[in-house]
Amino acid sequence: MLSDTERGILLRLSEFSEEIEVSWDVPRAISLPGLADSLGLVRSSLHKPLTRLEEEGLVFSRVAHVIGGGSRKRKVIHITSLGREKTIIMGKNTLIKTGKLFGTFPEISSIFGRENDKEILTKQIFDGGSIFLSGLPGIGKTSLVRNLVPEILDLGWTVRWATCYSNTDISDIALQWTDNKSLRNISSLTSFCGKKKNLLIIDEIQEVHPRHIESVGKLVDELKHSKAAIMVIVRSPNPFNSIEGFSEHRLLGLNEMEGKNLLPKDMDQTKALEIVSALGGHPLALHLWSPESELPEEVEAVQNFVESNVISKLTKDALSTLDELSLSPIPLETNEIFDSNGIDELDDSAILRWFEQKSEPHHLIRNVRRSLWSNLEREKMHEKAASYWSEKEGDDALWIETYHKIKSKNFQNSSLIDNISIISKDNSATAALLIEDAIELEDDEYLRFKAVDIAFERAEYEIIDDHLSMIDDSPQKKIRTARLLRINGDIDSAKELENECLSFFSAADKIRFKISMLVRKFDDRIPRKIEILLAEEILSEIYNLDFENISDTDRYTAELTLNLLKHSIALDTSNLTLASQSRSELEIILSNNQEHLMLLDLRAKLAISNSSELIDLTLESVHSFIQTCSDQLKKISIIHSTLEVTKPDFPDWLIESHDGLFQQPLREDLAAHRRMSAQCWYWRGVIHQSHRLSYWQEAIHRFRAAECNQAANELLKELTKSI
C-alpha cells in the first residue's frame, strides 16, 4: 500500500505528458526541489518514498537541464506507464474547474493542518467578506489561500489574483485581474471586478512602493463596498489596519502535531516535536531545517535561526547569487543574474520562490540577508549591479539599472531624467517611484518638474499639487499650474496663467503651445461631428497664427499638424473645398508617406459615402488597410472613423480590430496618445455594453487626464442617462 507521500508524488508527476521524458529542457516541477515545494515537504523526506517507487517500477530518474535552474544538469523524476495506471486505479481526483482564473497564480503546494484557518476563511469568502490575511514572512499565507482556490472554482466563482512588487500600481493590479485590460481608475476597476461570486486577491501588498501605496490603499477601501469577496495577503504588521470594514485573520505557526508532518517521517517523534516547538511552528523554517541545524533558544527569533543555520552555511557562490537576488527589485531569470553559479545550491536549500522561470529569495530570507549589510556595503553592491545592468538591453534592464543607480547614491540628474523619460513612455508606475526615490536623496527642481509631469500622465492631481508647492515660482511652474487648473475646471484662471507664460516663450515654443491648445480644443468632445461655431473658432485661430522667427524644421512640423487639423475639421463639417485644399498641402508635406495619405483618403471616403454600395467598397478598403498598417495611431484613427460611420451595426472584423488595439498600450507620456486612449475606452463601452459602466468610467478618467474636461463631462452625462 502506498503512503500519502508516495501517492502525492505519483499524482503530481502524472500531470506531465510522456513527451518530456526525452526532452532536453524540463520544468522545475519534476526536479527534487520542485516536487518538494509542490508537496509541501522538505527535500530529505522524499528520498525514501522515491526509492520505493523506483524499486516498484512506478517512477524512474535521469539527469536533464531544468528550465531556469542554472547551467548544470539536475536529477529529475518521471512517472512510468505502470505508475500512470496506478494513478487511474487510485481514482485520481481531476479538478473540474467551473469557474475562471485570472492572474499569475503561485504553484499549488500541499499544506498540513490549517483546518480551522481554512474553515474560517472559506466561510468569510463565500459570505462576500473583506479579509486581511496577515502573518510573518514564510508563515504560509500565500500557500493557504492558493489551496482554497480549487474549492472556490468548483462552485463557479471567478478568482482574480494579483501579486505585488515595488512598481505595482492600480493599473498593474488591473492587468493581472482582467486579462490585460489596463484600467487605471479605481471606480472602473471596481465596477469591472467587484461582482458577486468574484474573489479578488492582492498578495504581498506590503511590497508596493510608498509612491503607490496610498492609491492602492484607496482601491482596497473602495473594493469593500463591492459585491466581491476581497482577500488582501499582507505581512505583519499590517500597514492597512486603519481601513475599516475588513476583518483581520492572523496566521500563526503550526501546532506541534501539524508541524512534524513537514519533517522526515522516520524521525524520532520526540525530536520532531522539539524542533517544531523551537521554531515556533514556522513552516518555512521547518522546510529549511536540516539535521545539522542548531535549534534556537526559545527567546531566539526565527530570523536568527535563518541567519545562523541557513545563510551562514551557504558557499561563497551561493551567497553571491543570494545577494544579487536580494538586491533586485523584481524576480529574475537565471540568465539575467550576473553571478548565477549559486542558483542550484539556493534552490536545493529551499531558499528560492519560483514564478515560472523567474526566482527570488523567500522574503524572510531576503529580509534577513539585507539586514546584515552595512549602508556602505549596500551602496557598493547597488553600484556594481547598476554597472552590470547598464550593459544589458531591454525595458526591464533600463529600469533596474536606474533603480540601482539611485540606490547607490551615484547618479547625475540629467542622465537620470533621460532614463526615467524613456521608462515613462510605457511604464509610468516604475518611472514615478524612481523619481520619488531620487528626490528623497536630492531635492532638485528639475527632478520635481519631472515628478509633476509623470503625475500628469497618471492623473494624480494631489501629487502634482504637492510637488508644485515645493518649487519656486517660474514660467515652468505657472504653465504646469495652469494645466492643473484646467483639469480642475477653472478655465479662466488657467488661460490667465497661460497668457502670462507666453511672454517668456521663444517664438517656436509659443507656436507649439498654441497649436497643442488648438488640437486639444478639437479633441475635447466625445466622438461626434464638431459644432460649426467651434470649427469656425479653431479655423480663425489657425489663420491668425504668426510663423515669423521660427526655423524651417519648426515650420514644417507646424504646417503638418495644422493641415491635418484643418482636414479633420473639413470632413466633420462637410467642407469639401477646405478638405481638398488641406489634402493638397498634405500631399506635398507627406510625399514620402503614402500610408498616411491613404489614411486621409479613406477617412474622406467614409465621410462622403452616401450609398450602401459606396460604404461597402470603402469598408473593404478600410479592412485591408487595418491588416497592413504598421502605425498604431493611424490604425486607431481609421478604426474610430469607421465605428462612427457603421454604428450601431458594427462588422465583426471591426470589433475584433478594435479589441486588438488593447494588446499594445499607447504611450503614457504624450497628450495625443492619452486623448486617443480615452476615445478607445469610449468606443469599447459602446461596443461591449455589458461592461459599459466600467469602460466609460475609465474613459472619463482618461479624458480628464488629457485635459479634455468637456469630453469628460459630456460622457458623464451620457453614462448617467444609460444606467
Side-chain angles (χ1 to χ4, degrees):
M1 185 162 177
L2 299 179
S3 68
D4 289 344
T5 301
E6 291 164 350
R7 287 167 57 89
I9 291 171
L10 289 180
L11 290 172
R12 181 65 172 133
L13 293 176
S14 69
E15 296 175 10
F16 300 91
S17 69
E18 295 178 6
E19 296 173 358
I20 67 169
E21 294 175 11
V22 293
S23 298
W24 171 261
D25 293 320
V26 298
R28 177 179 175 273
I30 65 170
S31 69
L32 287 176
L35 275 174
D37 287 350
S38 64
L39 297 173
L41 300 170
V42 293
R43 310 291 197 273
S44 58
S45 66
L46 290 178
H47 296 310
K48 284 189 175 181
L50 281 172
T51 300
R52 184 169 176 235
L53 290 172
E54 195 158 6
E55 288 173 350
E56 295 189 10
L58 302 177
V59 302
F60 70 94
S61 61
R62 68 180 179 109
V63 292
H65 179 250
V66 175
I67 299 171
S71 58
R72 75 173 176 88
K73 291 184 177 181
R74 308 175 74 179
K75 183 178 180 179
V76 297
I77 314 297
H78 298 286
I79 189 170
T80 64
S81 299
L82 183 63
R84 292 185 188 277
E85 292 175 9
K86 193 77 169 177
T87 62
I88 297 171
I89 296 171
M90 285 164 25
K92 178 181 177 182
N93 294 319
T94 303
L95 179 63
I96 301 173
K97 300 173 181 175
T98 58
K100 294 180 180 179
L101 291 164
F102 293 94
T104 303
F105 282 73
E107 191 167 300
I108 195 165
S109 61
S110 297
I111 58 173
F112 296 94
R114 303 291 194 195
E115 296 305 323
N116 186 52
D117 297 303
K118 288 182 194 174
E119 185 178 340
I120 292 171
L121 292 176
T122 302
K123 184 179 185 307
Q124 288 180 310
I125 290 169
F126 290 144
D127 288 343
S130 301
I131 311 145
F132 284 125
L133 178 62
S134 64
L136 294 173
I139 204 70
K141 304 181 294 295
T142 299
S143 295
L144 173 58
V145 178
R146 182 64 182 87
N147 273 272
L148 299 178
V149 168
E151 180 182 351
I152 296 166
L153 290 172
D154 264 350
L155 295 174
W157 279 54
T158 296
V159 179
R160 305 179 189 272
W161 190 299
T163 300
C164 297
Y165 301 99
S166 62
N167 62 335
T168 295
D169 66 348
I170 293 170
S171 183
D172 183 61
I173 291 172
L175 288 171
Q176 296 181 67
W177 276 356
T178 63
D179 193 24
N180 291 325
K181 293 178 179 66
S182 55
L183 296 159
R184 300 178 86 177
N185 178 251
I186 290 175
S187 297
S188 55
L189 182 55
T190 302
S191 299
F192 190 93
C193 298
K195 298 172 182 173
K196 285 185 177 180
K197 298 187 74 173
N198 271 252
L199 171 60
L200 311 180
I201 300 167
I202 304 178
D203 192 13
E204 302 286 4
I205 196 171
Q206 76 286 332
E207 296 297 307
V208 177
H209 191 277
R211 173 62 173 76
H212 303 309
I213 200 70
E214 185 175 348
S215 59
V216 172
K218 287 179 179 177
L219 170 65
V220 171
D221 194 32
E222 182 76 16
L223 286 169
K224 74 186 181 189
H225 301 296
S226 72
K227 296 177 181 179
I230 318 298
M231 177 71 71
V232 179
I233 306 171
V234 59
R235 186 186 310 150
S236 296
N238 179 7
F240 298 96
N241 55 16
S242 61
I243 297 179
E244 297 180 353
F246 276 75
S247 63
E248 183 160 0
H249 186 84
R250 180 81 180 271
L251 200 61
L252 304 175
L254 300 170
N255 63 42
E256 291 179 343
M257 298 306 295
E258 295 169 344
K260 70 182 181 65
N261 289 313
L262 298 178
L263 299 171
K265 301 296 181 187
D266 57 351
M267 177 177 283
D268 177 77
Q269 293 301 292
T270 302
K271 178 66 174 176
L273 294 176
E274 180 189 348
I275 293 166
V276 175
S277 177
L279 296 178
H282 194 287
L284 179 58
L286 291 170
H287 277 293
L288 295 169
W289 179 87
S290 67
E292 298 79 31
S293 300
E294 296 179 10
L295 290 179
E297 301 292 333
E298 289 189 13
V299 296
E300 208 175 0
V302 170
Q303 286 89 334
N304 293 339
F305 171 80
V306 170
E307 180 184 346
S308 58
N309 289 278
V310 181
I311 295 176
S312 67
K313 296 184 178 179
L314 294 174
T315 64
K316 185 178 179 181
D317 282 345
L319 275 175
S320 180
T321 305
L322 175 61
D323 284 348
E324 192 172 346
L325 288 171
S326 299
L327 206 66
S328 175
I330 55 173
L332 301 174
E333 293 185 15
T334 302
N335 60 9
E336 293 176 321
I337 304 171
F338 179 72
D339 187 356
S340 62
N341 292 332
I343 198 77
D344 289 345
E345 183 180 345
L346 295 179
D347 194 26
D348 288 336
S349 303
I351 285 173
L352 301 180
R353 336 194 284 174
W354 290 86
F355 306 86
E356 296 179 345
Q357 298 180 32
K358 295 179 180 271
S359 67
E360 67 175 0
H362 281 285
H363 289 182
L364 171 64
I365 296 168
R366 180 199 65 184
N367 297 343
V368 172
R369 185 57 182 162
R370 286 177 177 177
S371 70
L372 301 177
W373 303 329
S374 69
N375 290 336
L376 183 60
E377 285 175 326
R378 185 180 289 106
E379 289 169 14
K380 291 292 183 185
M381 291 165 69
H382 280 297
E383 190 172 353
K384 179 182 176 182
S387 175
Y388 165 67
W389 283 98
S390 69
E391 298 175 0
K392 288 185 167 288
E393 296 181 353
D395 296 338
D396 279 352
L398 183 61
W399 100 254
I400 296 174
E401 175 202 346
T402 308
Y403 167 84
H404 286 304
K405 276 187 177 177
I406 294 169
K407 294 297 182 182
S408 73
K409 301 181 181 179
N410 183 20
F411 60 88
Q412 293 182 333
N413 289 352
S414 57
S415 62
L416 186 68
I417 290 174
D418 288 342
N419 282 2
I420 291 174
S421 297
I422 296 170
I423 294 165
S424 70
K425 291 178 182 179
D426 300 311
N427 194 335
S428 64
T430 299
L433 71 87
L434 290 171
I435 202 74
E436 292 293 338
D437 282 349
I439 290 170
E440 190 173 327
L441 294 173
E442 184 174 341
D443 194 346
D444 177 87
E445 181 179 87
Y446 293 101
L447 292 177
R448 286 207 180 264
F449 275 134
K450 188 63 189 177
V452 168
D453 293 342
I454 292 171
F456 269 121
E457 297 167 18
R458 298 175 51 79
E460 296 170 323
Y461 308 122
E462 290 181 6
I463 291 174
I464 294 169
D465 204 27
D466 288 343
H467 280 297
L468 287 175
S469 68
M470 302 296 291
I471 300 173
D472 292 336
D473 215 16
S474 67
Q476 292 298 324
K477 178 179 177 177
K478 285 182 178 179
I479 205 69
R480 289 168 172 82
T481 303
R483 288 178 65 185
L484 188 58
L485 288 168
R486 187 178 292 279
I487 289 169
N488 290 331
D490 191 349
I491 307 301
D492 291 339
S493 297
K495 287 181 178 179
E496 186 178 338
L497 271 181
E498 287 164 358
N499 290 330
E500 284 182 33
C501 294
L502 284 176
S503 62
F504 296 95
F505 286 7
S506 67
D509 286 341
K510 196 176 294 185
I511 285 291
R512 277 194 285 271
F513 178 79
K514 288 182 177 180
I515 291 175
S516 69
M517 291 295 101
L518 289 171
V519 174
R520 183 201 54 75
K521 189 181 290 189
F522 176 81
D523 287 339
D524 192 6
R525 55 197 163 93
I526 59 176
R528 56 173 170 75
K529 300 289 186 183
I530 193 170
E531 295 176 359
I532 296 295
L533 288 176
L534 178 60
E536 291 174 349
E537 180 186 323
I538 294 173
L539 288 172
S540 175
E541 291 184 46
I542 289 174
Y543 297 134
N544 286 324
L545 287 174
D546 183 3
F547 289 94
E548 290 186 10
N549 301 318
I550 66 171
S551 68
D552 290 343
T553 302
D554 288 327
R555 183 183 292 274
Y556 171 87
T557 305
E559 288 178 349
L560 172 61
T561 305
L562 291 174
N563 275 296
L564 287 171
L565 182 56
K566 286 191 287 185
H567 189 263
S568 295
I569 292 172
L571 296 181
D572 262 12
T573 57
S574 301
N575 187 337
L576 299 184
T577 302
L578 179 61
S580 178
Q581 289 174 349
S582 55
R583 171 63 172 78
S584 297
E585 292 290 335
L586 287 166
E587 188 171 5
I588 297 170
I589 299 171
L590 297 170
S591 57
N592 296 322
N593 194 334
Q594 293 302 309
E595 192 174 71
H596 207 144
L597 292 172
M598 190 183 298
L599 169 66
L600 297 177
D601 292 340
L602 284 174
R603 289 186 63 203
K605 288 179 181 180
L606 286 170
I608 64 174
S609 295
N610 53 10
S611 71
S612 60
E613 186 177 344
L614 282 174
I615 289 176
D616 287 343
L617 287 172
T618 303
L619 290 180
E620 288 181 16
S621 299
V622 168
H623 193 190
S624 177
F625 180 83
I626 291 171
Q627 290 177 316
T628 59
C629 180
S630 57
D631 186 283
Q632 189 185 19
L633 283 185
K634 293 185 182 69
K635 191 180 294 188
I636 294 173
S637 176
I638 195 62
I639 289 173
H640 286 179
S641 297
T642 311
L643 287 168
E644 183 68 36
V645 171
T646 58
K647 67 179 183 183
D649 301 316
F650 308 115
D652 289 342
W653 61 265
L654 188 59
I655 294 174
E656 291 171 7
S657 298
H658 191 264
D659 288 345
L661 297 176
F662 290 83
Q663 300 304 312
Q664 183 181 353
L666 289 162
R667 284 179 58 173
E668 300 177 350
D669 62 325
L670 298 177
H673 284 233
R674 294 198 293 276
R675 290 194 292 269
M676 188 71 81
S677 179
Q679 292 167 13
C680 283
W681 283 103
Y682 165 81
W683 280 115
R684 197 164 196 170
V686 173
I687 296 168
H688 302 289
Q689 296 187 22
S690 61
H691 292 300
R692 175 168 291 179
L693 173 61
S694 178
Y695 293 164
W696 278 9
Q697 285 175 322
E698 186 68 21
I700 291 167
H701 171 79
R702 291 179 182 253
F703 273 127
R704 294 204 191 282
E707 299 166 51
C708 293
N709 266 21
Q710 183 174 306
N713 293 335
E714 287 176 7
L715 186 52
L716 181 59
K717 288 179 183 177
E718 290 292 318
L719 181 59
T720 304
K721 286 191 290 184
S722 68
I723 58 177

